[in-house]
Amino acid sequence: MRRLARRQLDSHGSAFHKSKVERDGAFAQWLWCGGLHSSELHAGRVAPRYVRNRRRLLEWCRLRRVSMLKVAAQKSLGRSAGFLRLVRDGRLLDSQESVQSLQLQEGDTLCAVASVPTVCANPRAFAVYFRGGGLVSWGNDGDASRVQERLINVQDVQATDAAFAALLGDRTVVTWGHRHCGGDTLKLQDRLKDVRSIHANSGAFTALLEDGTVVAWGLDEVGGYSGRIEDELHNVRAIHSMQRGFLAVRTDGRAVTWGGEALMEGEMIQAPELRNVQAVYATDRGSSAAILSDRTVVTWGHQACGGDSTEVQDQLKNVQEIYSSGGAFAALLSDETVVTWGHSGYGADSHRVKDLLIGVKSITANHQAFAALLADGRVVTWGNPRYGGDAPQSALVPRLEGVQKISATKGAFAAQLRDGRVATWGLDSLGGDSSLQQGSLQAVTEIYATHSGAFAALRADGRVVTWGNQTFGGSSFAVQDLLYHVQEIHSTHWAFLALRSDGQCVTWGHPDRGGDCRDVQQKLQWLM
């Protein structure tokens, strides 16, 4: 339990005596004091300047809704408290309920469940849930109405490009969405019991059972069928998802792969016998790379797009992390240098900036370019210049100094600077041009992106600034008045979802790809 000091709660007038708050489904409590102006709490008593005019208090209550109380409580506890749901006498309060209807008396106690909603998104739909609770989903192939009654006590949700799978508290699995991409498990229900974990790639799911066996379903060519290696899938302790396949790690250290990389055009390299796999990465073009326990790398799949690393194999030692573009890899070594391989059209050729890639802390990739963030806050880029790989004569972008973090759409980059400003580059149509928004891009705390070409910047005041492809989230004009008190943002490939501190969900972007949640707004109100 985390005990918090008592302090002023809300300058708008509602004051509470806060007694305690717990995370993940526990609760916070406040003593209703009903003030109209700033109040201070001293040992549970309201300061003398507390306003006691009952007529003004009733007017305040009549004009305000429960959502405002939630905002006040959220401000008091801070962002780390999660999203709050107010409860009185065991009843969950509706955010749109008026405060007056609660008939609160001085000394009454409100409780607030403090928990963090989880958002699972695939390219075309969103699913929002609280662990141990229910779930609401929407978007293309996101309609869960046929299984809604079964979606209780949800523990985890995974998604393919067109379907979802939820792991419930009783260790069974519920699926919905496009049936060919894993949305239909009617014939597998007898096997989907005692499930330990579920995993997803672009078009298939796998379930790891408690007995160490595996159940796969979805598109056969990307791993939905594991019949050919069924005898090898025993004593499995972990599963890694790749773009078009899966890798299972057994307790004896051996790794087993299956999927449809071989169906890609071009010469393929078959997966070697793998042992002691620590992490697996993949490109969009069907190549894979695995970091082994000795920090070396093994690659396979599409030869020209990263599946063949023989030319740099002797350099792939002490690898800490691997990043992938559409058809190339970049490995970050323990000495903070970088090794790249794959297709030159996707950023595999970094020789032009080799001497600059020193002191690298992280790397961000879009479809055809890479951007490395250095320890001193500068940025080094390479790859397709149009996609942000920079012009040949300027590998180190001069204006990108004091950078904290880099985000990317498929064709542009956005850097969050230490002073709260934002710098962008790459294809203008995919978010590389933010010149019209620079006046509003101040005090930015986080940058989010849709794959298809839009950025959304969250400011310290809870407001949101957007730019890029207007159809796919670059324009939030229609909902701008609703984008306040925003705590976090999520995205599909074509739309954004903002979660406000009062529990409201605001969406924009392509309406059929998650950008319109009006049909489920009532369900979301109850969920939040």
Side-chain angles (χ1 to χ4, degrees):
M1 182 183 300
R2 188 178 63 176
R3 296 191 178 275
L4 301 175
R6 297 165 182 155
R7 66 176 185 268
Q8 176 183 324
L9 182 69
D10 182 21
S11 60
H12 292 290
S14 60
F16 298 90
H17 165 201
K18 180 168 62 248
S19 64
K20 59 184 176 179
V21 61
E22 292 184 76
R23 298 297 308 277
D24 299 328
F27 62 90
Q29 288 185 335
W30 296 270
L31 178 68
W32 172 253
C33 299
L36 286 174
H37 300 297
S38 297
S39 300
E40 294 178 355
L41 301 175
H42 300 282
R45 297 190 301 274
V46 181
R49 62 179 179 174
Y50 163 62
V51 179
R52 298 180 180 276
N53 187 308
R54 181 170 179 80
R55 186 180 67 179
R56 293 177 63 194
L57 175 58
L58 290 175
E59 180 68 10
W60 186 94
C61 292
R62 185 180 67 82
L63 295 176
R64 275 129 176 109
R65 299 185 183 278
V66 168
S67 60
M68 296 192 69
L69 298 186
K70 292 169 69 174
V71 170
Q74 195 77 49
K75 285 182 178 179
S76 178
L77 296 176
R79 284 189 173 190
S80 61
F83 290 79
L84 302 181
R85 291 175 288 178
L86 296 184
V87 179
R88 186 189 186 202
D89 298 331
R91 183 176 71 88
L92 185 65
L93 303 183
D94 190 325
S95 294
Q96 300 307 309
E97 228 176 321
S98 70
V99 175
Q100 184 179 24
S101 68
L102 302 180
Q103 297 183 332
L104 291 168
Q105 303 295 318
E106 189 169 340
D108 284 355
T109 298
L110 293 178
C111 294
V113 177
S115 55
V116 180
T118 300
V119 177
C120 178
N122 65 20
R124 306 188 291 184
F126 288 108
V128 180
Y129 67 99
F130 283 99
R131 186 173 181 181
L135 177 147
V136 177
S137 62
W138 68 96
N140 194 301
D141 291 316
D143 182 7
S145 57
R146 67 178 179 84
V147 296
Q148 195 68 57
E149 293 183 356
R150 298 175 56 196
L151 289 171
I152 56 176
N153 196 10
V154 175
Q155 301 297 310
D156 183 33
V157 179
Q158 297 291 319
T160 64
D161 286 355
F164 290 92
L167 177 61
L168 307 185
D170 62 2
R171 317 316 293 177
T172 61
V173 174
V174 175
T175 60
W176 66 99
H178 198 293
R179 64 187 185 90
H180 293 308
C181 290
D184 183 5
T185 53
L186 183 62
K187 296 180 180 180
L188 294 173
Q189 285 303 305
D190 290 342
R191 298 181 62 191
L192 289 173
K193 298 177 180 179
D194 297 321
V195 176
R196 186 188 309 171
S197 60
I198 49 177
H199 309 267
N201 63 19
S202 59
F205 292 101
T206 60
L208 175 58
L209 308 188
E210 290 291 351
D211 63 3
T213 60
V214 173
V215 178
W217 69 97
L219 290 173
D220 292 353
E221 57 267 31
V222 296
Y225 175 69
S226 59
R228 289 186 296 273
I229 44 90
E230 198 77 48
D231 293 341
E232 302 178 60
L233 291 174
H234 57 83
N235 296 323
V236 174
R237 62 177 177 83
I239 294 177
H240 298 276
S241 299
M242 300 175 290
Q243 181 70 10
R244 293 179 173 85
F246 295 99
L247 183 148
V249 180
R250 300 194 323 200
T251 54
D252 61 4
R254 185 185 171 193
V256 181
T257 62
W258 72 100
E261 288 91 345
L263 297 179
M264 295 291 294
E265 293 182 2
E267 188 173 348
M268 306 297 295
I269 295 178
Q270 296 301 313
E273 183 171 334
L274 297 168
R275 288 186 176 273
N276 303 316
V277 173
Q278 300 298 302
V280 180
Y281 309 86
T283 68
D284 294 338
R285 297 294 299 164
S287 54
S288 300
I291 299 179
L292 307 184
S293 58
D294 62 359
R295 314 314 297 180
T296 59
V297 173
V298 176
T299 61
W300 67 97
H302 197 296
Q303 181 177 14
C305 292
D308 183 1
S309 57
T310 53
E311 291 187 4
V312 296
Q313 198 63 51
D314 60 339
Q315 303 175 51
L316 292 173
K317 299 175 182 178
N318 298 315
V319 176
Q320 301 302 302
E321 189 65 66
I322 296 178
Y323 305 85
S324 65
S325 65
F329 291 106
L332 179 58
L333 309 187
S334 60
D335 62 0
E336 299 181 342
T337 60
V338 176
V339 177
T340 59
W341 71 98
H343 196 292
S344 59
Y346 293 95
D349 185 2
S350 60
H351 77 277
R352 178 175 56 85
V353 296
K354 187 69 174 177
D355 294 339
L356 299 174
L357 291 171
I358 300 173
V360 177
K361 291 301 182 184
S362 64
I363 300 173
T364 302
N366 64 25
H367 192 58
Q368 296 186 21
F370 291 91
L373 177 59
L374 308 187
D376 60 7
R378 294 181 299 164
V379 174
V380 177
T381 63
W382 68 97
N384 188 328
R386 295 178 60 245
Y387 279 66
D390 205 10
Q393 68 272 16
S394 178
L396 187 60
V397 183
R399 62 190 174 93
L400 291 177
E401 297 180 352
V403 175
Q404 283 189 314
K405 193 181 299 183
I406 303 173
S407 302
T409 65
K410 67 179 180 181
F413 294 100
Q416 177 187 336
L417 309 185
R418 292 193 182 110
D419 62 5
R421 294 181 299 118
V422 173
T424 60
W425 69 102
L427 288 171
D428 292 353
S429 60
L430 299 181
D433 181 9
S434 60
S435 56
L436 295 179
Q437 289 76 27
Q438 281 300 314
S440 301
L441 289 171
Q442 307 292 328
V444 171
T445 60
E446 195 70 55
I447 301 175
Y448 305 86
T450 62
H451 177 75
S452 296
F455 289 104
L458 178 59
R459 301 193 321 196
D461 61 2
R463 291 287 183 173
V464 176
V465 181
T466 59
W467 69 97
N469 189 303
Q470 296 193 4
T471 304
F472 302 145
S475 174
S476 55
F477 178 79
V479 295
Q480 198 61 50
D481 291 343
L482 302 175
L483 291 173
Y484 57 88
H485 299 314
V486 174
Q487 287 201 303
E488 58 186 63
I489 299 174
H490 300 268
S491 67
T492 65
H493 280 193
W494 290 281
F496 286 109
L497 161 65
L499 298 179
R500 292 193 333 214
S501 59
D502 62 358
Q504 295 290 312
C505 291
V506 182
T507 57
W508 69 98
H510 196 297
D512 296 330
R513 301 292 191 270
D516 185 354
C517 65
R518 287 177 297 180
D519 289 345
V520 296
Q521 195 61 253
Q522 188 171 4
K523 294 179 181 178
L524 284 168
Q525 286 292 320
W526 177 252
L527 182 69
M528 293 295 187

